[in-house]
Every structure is written in structure tokens, then in C-alpha cells.
Amino acid sequence: MAPKAKKSGSKKKKITKADRLKQILEEEEKRQKEEEEARVKYEKEEMERLEIQRIENEKLQKLEAKDLERRNEELEELYLLEACFPEAEKLKRDNRFLSQWKHYIECDGSPDPSIAQEINTFITLWKEETNETLEEVIEKSKLVLNLIEKLKLILLETPLYDLQGKNIIQYQESILELQELLHLKFNRATEILLRQASTLADLDSGNMEKVIQDENVTLYIWANLKKNPRHRSIRFSETQTGFEIPRILATSDIALRLLHTHYDHVTPLSPVLTPSQEHISIVTDFVKEEVKSVQTAVSKDLQEENKQENESNSVHEEETKAEGQGDVEEQMCPVQEEPEATKYEMEMKLLSETVSAAQELLLENASEKPYFLEENEVDLCQFTTLGGVYHLDILELPPQCKPMKGWMIVEILKEGLQKYTYPPETTEDLEAENVFPPIEVTLEVHENVIFFENPMVARWDAEGKQWKTDGISNVSYKSEERLITFNLETFCPVTLIQDAHINMPYQSWELRPLDVNKVLLTITTVFTELQIQIKENLCMLASIKVNNKNHSSILEEKWMTPVSFIIALKKAGLNIFPTGHSHLYVVINYKHPSVEVKAYRQMALLSSAFAFCWSKWNTACDSKKTVFQVREHLLKEEPIRNPNWTLLMFSGDRAQSLKINESSDRFLKPLKKKLNFIPLYITWLRILLLRKQ
């Protein structure tokens, strides 16, 4: 038997305690060495970082010192430029007084709506007038609507700090009285017309039909004289307006009236007309404190000047007793001029600060809705009425005139014009829906109103004093014919509504100079593009595009004051003006009001020489900074297809030029090592011009 082969390989050597200890010590030394190297490296990097930071801080301190050196000079220049704002506000105030004086010297017989005695006298005298025809009421309504418009403009154009609470209440009460009286006059004139319905009957149908059109109202009246149950389709001649009435109405002694007022006197006066009591108190307290400080300072200056003058006069009299009293008067003249100049400067400063405070209050967002909404109630903060109000009424036909021996005899009811209740408030019929079905109504939409989407129909709830959307069904809209048809359970005032924020937020905007004190503002939204010319204190709609197609409007080429222009655009369906509640319905990029006001003001100062444009990067910065584009614009230059814009980031008191453009991939804030402080972007624009020279 052969011997066994030895196992290949050697046995693994066992590690002794000494070797293990040695290995641990080596690993510990290696770890300590690595930690030391890391510490040295960190300290070196930290020293380098601190050195870089020290250098940057020194640069920043030098820039700050340089900024402070020129700050006073630039602020003086800015104050000189911004002096136009209180001057402009003072000019507006003078114009308001001048308009009252012009109305006084015209002596045209119309009352001044701002004077309670005159407007009350006008209302009382018109109430005493009776037996007015519809034509006479429509003619008189032009003056009444003009008075209402003047009162609304006073409430909107007068700054918050110039409005007193009692005046606001007086103006609003006058507006409501004029509106109620005007509608009452239309009812009385309708009653007079319906008494003569039998004499105005159509030869073919035997019923009376009358249409009266005016620039402010359109009146449709139909009197059911024949009571033919087959005559259930009513269409007014030369129009598409009409009704489909049920059999029970076709056999009743009734009249149908559609009074389409191109204005809205049904909706309660908007809260915008009355500034919030909180805002009024803030501004009022601010003004009172400032006025008190001004008066105190001026009185102290006068006392000191008078004291110094008395001392100088006494010394002067002792030294030179021979001089006359005339010399003393000559010395006092310049002394009186200096306090007057100081008083004027302080008044202008007060006015400037007051205007700024009021503008910031107007830009502040409301925290919540002004009221709680009921079911089916129209939110007037989100929607707006357009095209006026359609007053739909079913009236009881009054007793008709009867000829007798050359006389016309008519029975006059003491109750006046009475409404016919449809459907009845109580009925025992179990199938009341079949007996009193809804009435089909077809209306013509006002030709001067733009609807970007199919309009919604709302009815007026007289009890709740609100617009509601219930009780209306089968709504259909033909945009080309501008006809809207719907079923209405009961006759009442109806209106068409549209989302007030349908053109918000803007897709872009651009402000471009046209001439000295004349600019062109272009606003592009999802549905439309508006071009608005602005010169001095007037605005004009230059052009409008709807869905990239030119659209004609009666507002084009008409210069108006800013408030009147805003009202006209809103009535035409071109609402591009946000309110304090708009942020509740539109996603916005909030900016601090003070930053907004300062940006608007300085853009206004430079708008005759520089063009401004929106920037997508404005959403990338916080609420205390705003980003926009700016470029120099020569008045006689040809339009540039791809202009070279510069991006500015403005924080209210200083601006920084950004090293990016609109096509950049991401937003880059200015690096501190390359930071160049510019206290005001007016200075930056001046430097830009100097570089080009």
C-alpha cells in the first residue's frame, strides 16, 4: 500500500496579539493622519473663503460708501422729478373745483348733483310732473342719466382723503333716488300708453304692439286685446325679440313689456364706490397728524421770525430813530415770504405722502369676500353684468279709452299700473307645471358688448336684493345673430353676466413712447389685444383684436379721462382692471404695494424716452422685487422686429441689471462679486445713455 500524499499548501499562520495590536495602531495612525490632512485642508479652504468674503465685504463697503456719496445728489434729482406727482394731484383738485365753476357759469338750468339743495329741488319738481309720455320720459332720462354719471364719477375720481363720509352718503342717496324716480316715470308713462292701446291696435292681429328705440333704452310693449288662444308666438316687428307665451296668458287681459335699459340701475351700488371705513380712517388720521405737524412747524417758524424781527427792529430804532416806518415794512416783507415758501413745501410734501399712502391702499388685496353667498347667488366680485338690464313684466291691462259724443272717457285706477302675477302664488291644481309652464324669451344682445364665452343669464331676486341663476332653463346662444333664448319661470328683471376676470392674468404688456407725454400701452390676454393711447390726463382705445382678428368698437378714437375710460371698457366687456378681490379668483404673482407704486411712478417719469415690457422672470423673484424689460426708444425710429431689451430687477429704492434675457434657461441672481449698486434705475438709465455717447 502506497504512502498517503501530503496535503498541498501551508497552514494559515495565526495572528498573535502583538500583531493585532500593531495593526490597530497602524490603522489609528492612518486615521489620525487623514483627519489632520482633512483639518488642514478645511482650515485652508475656510481661510480662503474668509479672505474672499473679506474682499467682497470691502468691495461692498466701497460700493455702499460710493452709493452714499452720490445718494444725496440723486435723491435731490429724484425729488425734483417726483415733484410732478403732487403737482399733478393739486392740478386734479383744481380741475374739480373748476368744473363746478364752469357748471355754475353755464346756467343751462341743470342742477349741480354735488349740491344737495339743487338735486333735491330737481327731484321734487320732476315728481310733481304728471301725464308724461314715454317719448318725454326718454328725453328727460338723458339728463337724469347724466346727473347719475356725474355723481358716480365724483365718487370714483375724488381721492379717498378728499372724500367725507357725509358726502359719500349724500351722493349715494341722490343716485338711488334718481334711479327709483326714473323707473317710476317709465311705469307711469307705460300706463298712459296702455290706456290708449285700443286706439293703437294693429289692423291684422287686433293687438297693440309698439317699439321705441333710443341710445339709452329700448322699449317693447305688446297688449293682448283680442285674447286669441292661438296667438301665442309674439315677435316684435323688424326685430328678433319675442316671447312664446302659454295658453293661459294668451287668453288673459294682460300686456307684456320689455324695457331694455342699456345701463344697470338694479344691481346695488358697488362697494368700490364707498372706500372701506378702515382705509378712510387710516388716511384721515394720517392727514390730520401731518396737517397738525405742518401747522405747528409753520407757527413756530413764524413766532421765531417775528421775535427776531422785533428784536432787530428795536435795535434798529435805537440806532437810527430818524428812519421812517416804510423801511420797517420793507424789512418785514422778505421775512413773511420765507414762512410762506416753507409752508408750501411742507404742504406739497404732505400731499405727496398722502397720495402715495392712498395709492398703496388701492393696491392692497382684500383678505376675504365682502359678503357670504347664498345658493344660486351670483358672486358680483367674480362676475359682472353686461349689456344692461332687461326688465320683463306681465302687466294687467288698464281700462281702455272709450269715445263718447266727441269725448274720450277713461277710468283711472288709483293703484296705478299693476303687475300680473304669473304663476299664481297659490294654486290647487296638482299639475301646475303643465298649466303654468315657463315662458320662452328671445332677446337681442347689445351690439356694443363683447362676450368672449357664451353669456350666462341671471334673474333679479327682489326679496333678497341679489342676482340668481335659478328659475332659468334651456339657455341657448347664437353668437353670429347675437340672440339668446331661454325659459323663464316668472317674469322679472334679467341680465347677462360674464366672468370679470376672463382676460386675467395678462399674457404680456408693453409701454412704448409715441411723443412727449404720449405713450402706447399694449395689453395681450388670452382672447384679445388692446392698444391704449395715453396723453396727459386722457386715454383712448386705439385698436382692439379679438381672437387675432381686428374688431371695431364705438370706443375707438374717443379721448376720455382715466376713470371714464375704465368704466367704458368694463361696460363693453373689455375688463382688464383687477380689483382688491381679484386674487381670490385668479392666480397672481403678488408684489408688495410700495414696490408696485414706486415702479409705476418711475416708469411714468421715463415713459417719454424709454420703452418697458413684461418679463417672465418677474415670477422668479420674491414679493419685494420686480423684474421687467427696458430699452431706450427713439421717437422717430422705425419699428424693430427683435429689439434688444435689458432686464432690470427693481426693489423700490435701487435697481440691478441682470445678466440674462428672456430666452435664458434659468433665472440667475446678480453675483455679489459683480454687483453694482444703483440706487435708482433712473441713474442706471442715465449711465446707459452716457455709455452710448
Side-chain angles (χ1 to χ4, degrees):
M1 185 175 179
K4 293 181 179 180
K6 293 183 180 180
K7 293 181 180 180
S8 59
S10 58
K11 292 183 179 180
K12 187 176 181 182
K13 187 178 181 180
K14 292 183 179 181
I15 300 176
T16 62
K17 287 185 177 182
D19 294 337
R20 188 178 299 168
L21 182 60
K22 182 179 180 181
Q23 185 179 358
I24 293 173
L25 291 175
E26 289 177 354
E27 291 177 357
E28 182 66 20
E29 289 178 359
K30 183 179 180 181
R31 186 183 63 80
Q32 291 180 357
K33 184 178 181 181
E34 290 176 354
E35 289 181 355
E36 181 66 19
E37 290 177 354
R39 186 184 63 80
V40 172
K41 182 179 179 181
Y42 172 77
E43 291 180 353
K44 183 178 180 182
E45 291 177 352
E46 184 67 14
M47 291 292 292
E48 292 177 354
R49 187 185 67 80
L50 293 175
E51 182 65 17
I52 293 173
Q53 185 176 358
R54 185 186 64 80
I55 295 173
E56 288 182 353
N57 289 336
E58 289 181 357
K59 289 182 179 180
L60 290 175
Q61 290 176 0
K62 290 180 180 179
L63 288 174
E64 289 285 0
K66 189 176 181 181
D67 181 20
L68 292 174
E69 290 178 0
R70 64 189 180 192
R71 185 73 172 174
N72 293 333
E73 179 183 353
E74 290 174 346
L75 284 177
E76 289 179 1
E77 294 179 4
L78 178 64
Y79 290 151
L80 291 176
L81 291 172
E82 290 192 339
C84 64
F85 293 116
E87 289 288 348
E89 194 62 32
K90 189 173 182 297
L91 182 61
K92 292 178 184 178
R93 185 181 294 176
D94 295 340
N95 288 337
R96 289 194 292 270
F97 291 125
L98 183 61
S99 63
Q100 294 180 353
W101 172 248
K102 286 183 178 179
H103 180 273
Y104 176 77
I105 63 177
E106 281 178 359
C107 298
D108 57 356
S110 63
D112 186 347
S114 62
I115 300 177
Q117 293 85 349
E118 293 189 19
I119 196 66
N120 291 337
T121 302
F122 173 81
I123 292 174
T124 302
L125 293 177
W126 197 28
K127 284 182 179 179
E128 295 175 356
E129 296 181 12
T130 57
N131 299 327
E132 291 176 292
T133 63
L134 281 169
E135 289 77 8
E136 292 173 343
V137 173
I138 290 175
E139 186 63 29
K140 190 66 171 286
S141 68
K142 297 178 181 179
L143 173 59
V144 177
L145 293 174
N146 185 31
L147 295 176
I148 294 174
E149 192 69 21
K150 285 183 177 179
L151 287 172
K152 289 183 177 180
L153 287 177
I154 291 174
L155 289 172
L156 290 174
E157 291 183 337
T158 307
L160 304 181
Y161 47 83
D162 280 346
L163 276 175
Q164 297 183 4
K166 62 178 182 180
N167 290 338
I168 296 174
I169 296 174
Q170 171 198 325
Y171 298 155
Q172 289 186 330
E173 289 179 350
S174 298
I175 291 173
L176 293 176
E177 287 186 20
L178 289 172
Q179 291 176 351
E180 293 174 359
L181 181 57
L182 180 58
H183 192 68
L184 177 63
K185 288 291 184 178
F186 273 114
N187 288 341
R188 290 180 178 176
T190 301
E191 181 183 4
I192 294 174
L193 177 64
L194 290 177
R195 290 178 194 158
Q196 307 169 3
S198 58
T199 62
L200 302 173
D202 182 67
L203 297 178
D204 296 332
S205 64
N207 297 319
M208 188 208 77
E209 176 187 315
K210 191 175 184 63
V211 179
I212 302 176
Q213 292 185 342
D214 186 70
E215 59 180 343
N216 298 317
V217 297
T218 304
L219 181 65
Y220 306 86
I221 297 181
W222 178 81
N224 189 14
L225 300 174
K226 287 296 182 180
K227 305 177 185 64
N228 186 355
R230 296 182 179 179
H231 191 76
R232 299 168 59 182
S233 181
I234 304 169
R235 287 291 180 274
F236 292 94
S237 59
E238 299 182 358
T239 68
Q240 298 294 324
T241 302
F243 312 98
E244 294 290 336
I245 61 175
R247 180 185 179 86
I248 189 172
L249 291 181
T251 57
S252 300
D253 202 18
I254 62 165
L256 301 180
R257 182 184 69 171
L258 167 57
L259 175 60
H260 179 201
T261 60
H262 303 169
Y263 47 83
D264 181 5
H265 286 176
V266 177
T267 304
L269 295 180
S270 174
V272 177
L273 291 175
T274 308
S276 63
Q277 296 299 324
E278 180 182 358
H279 286 184
I280 292 177
S281 61
I282 291 174
V283 177
T284 303
D285 295 342
F286 172 77
V287 173
K288 287 181 178 179
E289 291 177 2
E290 291 293 330
V291 169
K292 187 176 180 180
S293 63
V294 170
Q295 293 176 348
T296 304
V298 171
S299 61
K300 287 183 179 180
D301 292 340
L302 288 174
Q303 291 176 0
E304 292 178 358
E305 294 293 337
N306 291 333
K307 184 177 180 181
Q308 294 177 0
E309 182 64 25
N310 292 333
E311 293 177 356
S312 62
N313 287 340
S314 60
V315 173
H316 185 68
E317 288 177 358
E318 292 177 358
E319 293 179 352
T320 56
K321 294 183 180 180
E323 294 183 358
Q325 187 67 22
D327 293 337
V328 178
E329 293 179 357
E330 291 179 0
Q331 294 175 3
M332 293 185 66
C333 290
V335 176
Q336 297 293 336
E337 290 177 0
E338 185 176 354
E340 290 296 330
T342 305
K343 183 178 179 181
Y344 176 77
E345 291 178 359
M346 298 183 73
E347 287 179 351
M348 296 306 293
K349 181 181 178 182
L350 166 63
L351 184 59
S352 177
E353 293 176 351
T354 307
V355 171
S356 299
Q359 290 175 343
E360 291 183 14
L361 288 175
L362 290 176
L363 290 175
E364 287 185 357
N365 294 327
S367 58
E368 58 185 10
K369 296 180 182 180
Y371 48 83
F372 177 76
L373 295 177
E374 297 181 1
E375 186 178 3
N376 298 317
E377 181 182 355
V378 176
D379 186 357
L380 295 178
C381 293
Q382 181 180 4
F383 296 94
T384 181
T385 62
L386 288 179
V389 177
Y390 301 86
H391 297 264
L392 298 170
D393 297 298
I394 304 177
L395 306 172
E396 294 181 359
L397 198 60
Q400 298 298 296
C401 297
K402 297 179 180 180
M404 185 176 292
K405 297 181 181 181
W407 293 83
M408 296 296 294
I409 299 177
V410 61
E411 179 184 358
I412 300 177
L413 302 177
K414 293 183 179 180
E415 298 83 7
L417 195 64
Q418 296 295 309
K419 290 187 178 182
Y420 182 89
T421 305
Y422 178 89
E425 296 180 357
T426 58
T427 177
E428 298 179 356
D429 192 346
L430 298 177
E431 298 181 354
E433 294 183 0
N434 297 328
V435 179
F436 304 102
I439 303 172
E440 182 180 297
V441 181
T442 301
L443 302 176
E444 293 182 351
V445 179
H446 198 290
E447 60 182 356
N448 297 326
V449 176
I450 300 175
F451 284 95
F452 299 100
E453 294 178 346
N454 290 346
M456 295 181 289
V457 184
R459 67 171 184 87
W460 178 249
D461 180 11
E463 294 183 0
K465 301 295 182 182
Q466 57 198 2
W467 292 106
K468 286 192 171 184
T469 55
D470 59 342
I472 302 169
S473 58
N474 300 333
V475 180
S476 64
Y477 178 63
K478 299 178 181 179
S479 57
E480 295 182 358
E481 294 87 350
R482 298 185 67 83
L483 294 176
I484 188 166
T485 303
F486 55 91
N487 290 344
L488 195 61
E489 293 181 359
T490 181
F491 266 26
C492 57
V494 298
T495 188
L496 306 182
I497 60 176
Q498 180 176 253
D499 188 352
H501 307 94
I502 197 169
N503 287 312
M504 303 178 200
Y506 307 153
Q507 289 187 329
S508 65
W509 62 267
E510 180 181 349
L511 186 68
R512 179 166 56 88
L514 297 177
D515 202 346
V516 178
N517 294 331
K518 186 176 182 180
V519 297
L520 178 68
L521 175 62
T522 303
I523 296 177
T524 304
T525 69
V526 176
F527 296 99
T528 183
E529 177 184 292
L530 298 177
Q531 288 192 337
I532 302 170
Q533 288 189 17
I534 306 171
K535 69 173 183 180
E536 297 177 353
N537 63 332
L538 298 174
C539 303
M540 180 189 71
L541 181 62
S543 68
I544 175 177
K545 289 183 180 180
V546 178
N547 296 325
N548 297 322
K549 295 181 180 179
N550 291 328
H551 182 85
S552 60
S553 174
I554 61 171
L555 300 179
E556 291 180 309
E557 307 300 327
K558 290 185 178 180
W559 290 100
M560 291 178 275
T561 60
V563 174
S564 300
F565 182 73
I566 292 173
I567 295 174
L569 282 186
K570 287 183 177 180
K571 287 183 178 179
L574 300 172
N575 187 10
I576 56 173
F577 308 98
T579 65
H581 300 91
S582 295
H583 67 287
L584 301 174
Y585 310 97
V586 182
V587 178
I588 65 170
N589 181 25
Y590 175 75
K591 300 296 178 182
H592 197 274
S594 63
V595 177
E596 283 193 65
V597 169
K598 291 179 180 178
Y600 296 153
R601 283 189 161 202
Q602 297 198 18
M603 273 193 275
L605 291 173
L606 292 167
S607 58
S608 294
F610 291 87
F612 299 90
C613 182
W614 78 291
S615 172
K616 67 179 182 181
W617 301 117
N618 190 38
T619 59
C621 54
D622 57 32
S623 62
K624 295 185 178 180
K625 294 182 179 64
T626 180
V627 177
F628 49 86
Q629 300 180 80
V630 61
R631 71 181 181 90
E632 183 186 7
H633 184 88
L634 301 178
L635 296 178
K636 296 182 179 180
E637 73 176 6
E638 296 294 329
I640 303 174
R641 180 170 298 181
N642 295 314
N644 185 20
W645 295 91
T646 300
L647 279 174
L648 282 183
M649 185 168 69
F650 181 62
S651 62
D653 57 351
R654 57 182 59 186
Q656 296 165 254
S657 176
L658 303 180
K659 303 299 182 181
I660 58 174
N661 53 38
E662 284 297 292
S663 59
S664 299
D665 296 333
R666 59 194 181 94
F667 181 73
L668 297 175
K669 294 184 179 180
L671 299 177
K672 288 187 176 181
K673 61 182 179 181
K674 296 182 179 179
L675 185 63
N676 185 17
F677 279 112
I678 305 294
L680 303 163
Y681 67 80
I682 293 179
T683 306
W684 184 89
L685 294 172
R686 187 181 65 220
I687 295 174
L688 178 64
L689 291 176
L690 293 175
R691 289 176 181 174
K692 292 184 178 182
Q693 293 178 355

